[in-house]
């Protein structure tokens, strides 16, 4: 009997992955290209990709495409790591960079990475964890939306004595292995740059201040301000922004610079303020944090603190492998990737200084 067409597609792609022609983190051709290559229908391609995803060979992400998990994923005896991503925005390229870095590092240790998206939902996150426990994974990488709210989900993993590591965000009251960036020093770099530009009326704008990462950035901001002899009060932390009030304070020169806890917030602030007739950076300088890919969509370049997302992913997989191999103990080791300052057009010397 002739082999079903979807099986031919599936086996061919799997052979390419196992031969190293397609490596961990690589994106597969889109459905249309695969249809043309194999001369089959879209239904056939989707069935083949669905089966590869179910076997952990690839990860399919809506509106992004299909990505290789690793050459060993289809082998039932292969070693597996689950990456649970509680994403605020599934289309954020930053997540994909972290996943790519983790996939590449995991493949070095002959692990395959299975990615599960839980979309900020604790119940979905728990279901993903239970699903991966059933698959007998060797360890977990977890990018949580709120690491405090997810504590009960972590305890599920702990009950099975399986190592796990948090990525980007962690809970200081629940020690765990962690990989992220140096938020504190990054904030110091950004704040010192604004001070160098003669700004003294600087405010810190927060996006999700319940996150320890944002609290670390605020702590770095406060440290740099105090080192420069500038006072810091509760008024310098903006957690719920009234844009009309903020615009009024900028016009009165009570605020000359804003350091935003991430680029997404910086972009929104620029949009809101320019919509109220203010000019960036002439009226107010704006600094972000992340060097988010979407910041390139702005008509003015965003000055920001760059973190290396792929490096964070690689660090996470490397550390988790050390834990799995029993080479790291204690449950509270952290790896922080370095940060750097990127200066573009959204900041300038204070024209009123």
């Amino acid at each position: 009997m002739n082999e079903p067409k979807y099986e031919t597609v599936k086996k061919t792609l799997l052979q390419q992955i196992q031969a190293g022609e397609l490596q961990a983190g690589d994106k597969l051709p889109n459905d249309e290209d695969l249809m043309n290559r194999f001369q089959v229908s879209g239904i056939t391609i989707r069935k083949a990709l669905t089966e590869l995803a179910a076997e952990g060979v690839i990860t399919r992400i809506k509106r992004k495409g299909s990505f290789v998990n690793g050459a060993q994923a289809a082998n039932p005896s292969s070693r597996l790591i689950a990456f649970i991503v509680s994403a605020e925005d599934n289309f954020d390229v930053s997540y994909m960079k972290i996943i790519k870095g983790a996939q590449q590092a995991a493949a070095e240790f002959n692990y395959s990475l299975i990615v599960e998206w839980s979309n900020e939902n604790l119940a979905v996150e728990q279901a993903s964890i239970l699903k991966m426990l059933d698959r007998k994974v060797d360890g977990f990488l977890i990018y949580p939306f709120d690491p405090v709210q997810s504590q009960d989900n972590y305890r599920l993993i702990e009950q099975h004595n399986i190592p796990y590591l948090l990525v980007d965000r962690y809970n200081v009251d629940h020690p765990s292995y962690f990989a992220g960036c140096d938020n504190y020093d990054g904030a110091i770099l950004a704040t010192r740059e604004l001070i160098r530009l003669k700004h003294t009326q600087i405010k810190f704008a927060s996006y999700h201040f319940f996150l320890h990462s944002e609290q670390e950035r605020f702590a770095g901001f406060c440290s740099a301000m105090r080192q420069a002899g500038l006072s810091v009060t509760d008024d310098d932390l903006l957690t719920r922004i009234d844009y009309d009030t903020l615009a009024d304070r900028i016009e009165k020169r009570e605020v000359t610079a804003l350091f935003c806890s991430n680029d997404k917030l910086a972009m929104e602030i620029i949009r809101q303020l320019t919509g109220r007739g203010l000019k960036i950076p002439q009226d107010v300088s704006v600094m972000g944090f992340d060097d988010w890919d979407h910041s390139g969509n702005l008509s003015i370049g965003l000055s920001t603190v760059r973190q290396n997302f792929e490096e964070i992913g690689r660090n996470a997989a490397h550390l988790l492998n050390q834990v799995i191999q029993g080479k790291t103990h204690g449950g509270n080791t952290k790896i922080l990737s370095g940060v750097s300052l990127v200066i573009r057009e959204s900041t300038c010397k204070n024209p009123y200084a």
Side-chain angles (χ1 to χ4, degrees):
M1 294 179 65
N2 291 332
E3 181 180 66
K5 292 181 179 180
Y6 80 88
E7 281 286 357
T8 302
V9 175
K10 176 183 170 183
K11 286 183 178 180
T12 302
L13 292 175
L14 185 56
Q15 287 168 0
Q16 285 186 273
I17 294 169
Q18 291 174 332
E21 297 172 28
L22 291 169
Q23 299 185 352
D26 286 351
K27 182 179 180 181
L28 295 183
N30 62 37
D31 287 11
E32 186 175 348
D33 288 341
L34 290 173
M35 288 164 59
N36 292 332
R37 174 184 169 186
F38 291 99
Q39 293 297 297
V40 295
S41 68
I43 294 174
T44 298
I45 295 298
R46 287 190 289 275
K47 183 170 178 58
L49 296 180
T50 298
E51 290 209 355
L52 288 172
E55 294 171 7
V57 178
I58 64 172
T59 294
R60 304 194 73 195
I61 301 174
K62 187 177 179 182
R63 290 174 57 185
K64 285 293 183 183
S66 300
F67 298 83
V68 178
N69 287 337
Q72 305 297 320
N75 184 346
S77 64
S78 69
R79 302 192 298 175
L80 301 175
I81 292 174
F83 198 157
I84 312 296
V85 184
S86 296
E88 299 166 71
D89 179 2
N90 286 4
F91 313 126
D92 187 335
V93 179
S94 305
Y95 298 122
M96 296 309 305
K97 289 181 177 179
I98 293 173
I99 291 168
K100 182 178 181 180
Q103 284 178 326
Q104 291 172 343
E108 294 174 14
F109 307 113
N110 200 29
Y111 282 103
S112 295
L113 199 72
I114 306 174
V115 182
E116 287 279 317
W117 298 81
S118 60
N119 302 310
E120 302 179 44
N121 187 308
L122 288 175
V124 176
E125 181 182 76
Q126 183 183 93
S128 296
I129 289 172
L130 291 171
K131 176 182 175 182
M132 292 299 104
L133 287 172
D134 286 341
R135 291 201 62 171
K136 309 297 183 185
V137 297
D138 295 277
F140 284 85
L141 299 176
I142 302 176
Y143 189 114
F145 173 68
D146 183 347
V148 175
Q149 295 294 322
S150 292
Q151 284 185 99
D152 288 341
N153 289 342
Y154 306 154
R155 292 190 178 101
L156 278 175
I157 302 173
E158 292 166 0
Q159 288 168 10
H160 287 76
N161 295 315
I162 296 177
Y164 70 93
L165 178 147
L166 300 188
V167 179
D168 188 73
R169 303 168 177 185
Y170 68 96
N171 176 9
V172 292
D173 296 320
H174 194 103
S176 62
Y177 296 107
F178 173 77
C181 81
D182 193 341
N183 294 299
Y184 183 82
D185 283 355
I188 288 178
L189 285 176
T191 309
R192 284 179 177 170
E193 171 63 14
L194 293 173
I195 293 170
R196 186 189 70 80
L197 294 172
K198 306 300 181 183
H199 293 282
T200 57
Q201 301 297 318
I202 309 170
K203 306 299 178 187
F204 181 92
S206 174
Y207 189 71
H208 287 319
F209 201 65
F210 62 85
L211 295 174
H212 194 71
S213 55
E214 293 207 6
Q215 294 169 21
E216 288 177 330
R217 293 172 191 180
F218 180 61
F221 163 79
C222 293
S223 177
M225 291 285 282
R226 289 169 180 146
Q227 287 173 13
L230 300 172
S231 63
V232 181
T233 67
D234 292 343
D235 180 59
D236 296 318
L237 173 61
L238 308 180
T239 55
R240 290 184 177 85
I241 301 175
D242 181 322
Y243 286 102
D244 289 330
T245 300
L246 178 59
D248 182 61
R249 296 189 68 187
I250 291 169
E251 290 173 350
K252 293 177 179 177
R253 301 179 190 174
E254 295 174 4
V255 179
T256 65
L258 293 162
F259 173 31
C260 304
S261 60
N262 63 32
D263 288 352
K264 186 180 293 187
L265 177 59
M267 292 171 63
E268 176 63 14
I269 284 177
I270 289 174
R271 187 183 71 83
Q272 291 283 351
L273 294 180
T274 54
R276 287 166 171 76
L278 293 172
K279 296 180 180 178
I280 312 295
Q282 294 90 335
D283 294 319
V284 63
S285 286
V286 178
M287 176 78 72
F289 199 114
D290 286 339
D291 201 22
W292 194 39
D293 279 29
H294 293 297
S295 59
N297 297 332
L298 291 171
S299 58
I300 181 170
L302 179 64
S303 294
T304 188
V305 178
R306 174 180 293 160
Q307 56 173 313
N308 188 327
F309 294 106
E310 285 192 31
E311 183 179 90
I312 291 171
R314 289 194 297 271
N315 287 343
H318 275 283
L319 179 54
L320 183 61
N321 178 64
Q322 291 289 306
V323 179
I324 292 171
Q325 300 302 319
K327 297 177 181 179
T328 300
H329 304 276
N332 199 27
T333 303
K334 294 178 174 57
I335 297 182
L336 302 182
S337 67
V339 293
S340 58
L341 202 57
V342 180
I343 302 302
R344 299 191 180 102
E345 296 81 28
S346 67
T347 53
C348 71
K349 185 176 180 180
N350 182 1
Y352 310 114

